[in-house]
Amino acid sequence: MEVVKKVQPPTGLIRLLFRLPIHFYRMGLGWLFGGRIMLVNHVGRITGKRRQVILEVVAHNANDGSYVAASGWGPAAAWYRNILHTPDVTIQVGRRTIPARGVPLSTDEGAEIMARYASRHRVAAKLLLPRMLGYAVDGSEADFRALGQRIPFIRFVPRATS
């Protein structure tokens, strides 16, 4: 796997399209996305203001109720840095709102999760990831594992409410 180019987070119309599902969640229509997209409510590390981001669910563990998302724009993504700073968040998946704690995963865990994701979602993994993230992948499991070691992942673990 090679880095093709440094990809910047989307701006303009593309950014608006990426953020469109936030409005669906606000209208109570998050169920339209099933379990593939979640809304994460978090706190800005600089402003202290409430922030929202839409993330693809890369993995879900039905046993402990946790969800995993990748920071496709890398460790500099604002949402990722915000969650590292203030890990207590709420996530919305479908119709459920879950208090959770964001826990960064190791590069080995990221590699394993990316390999499993690629086997379940071949088209997205082979076509969309390289275009969006700037990585050239040959489609092999080893390539996706290498990609998973480069992308930071967060596991959102449900927490008890008081």
Side-chain angles (χ1 to χ4, degrees), residues 6 21 30 47 53 96 108 126 128 140-141:
K6 179 149 175 72
T47 64
V53 65
R96 298 179 57 215
D108 289 340
K126 278 189 80 171
L128 298 178
S140 69
E141 183 178 328

Side-chain angles (χ1 to χ4, degrees), residues 7 15 28 48 51 54 58 63 65-66 76 78-79 81 85-86 91 97 112 118 140-141 147-149 156 161:
V7 178
R15 182 177 189 269
R51 302 289 183 207
I54 289 292
V58 178
N63 293 328
S66 66
W79 73 264
R81 292 169 47 201
H85 186 266
T86 307
I91 60 173
T97 299
E112 180 62 31
S140 69
E141 183 178 328
L147 178 59
Q149 289 184 322
F156 295 97
T161 58

Side-chain angles (χ1 to χ4, degrees), residues 28-61:
L29 299 173
W31 57 269
L32 290 172
F33 303 109
R36 288 290 306 273
I37 295 176
M38 68 178 157
L39 175 70
V40 180
N41 299 287
H42 56 99
V43 176
R45 70 194 174 286
I46 296 169
T47 64
K49 293 181 180 177
R50 181 174 170 242
R51 302 289 183 207
Q52 294 182 309
V53 65
I54 289 292
L55 300 173
E56 181 181 7
V57 173
V58 178
H60 171 60
N61 183 330

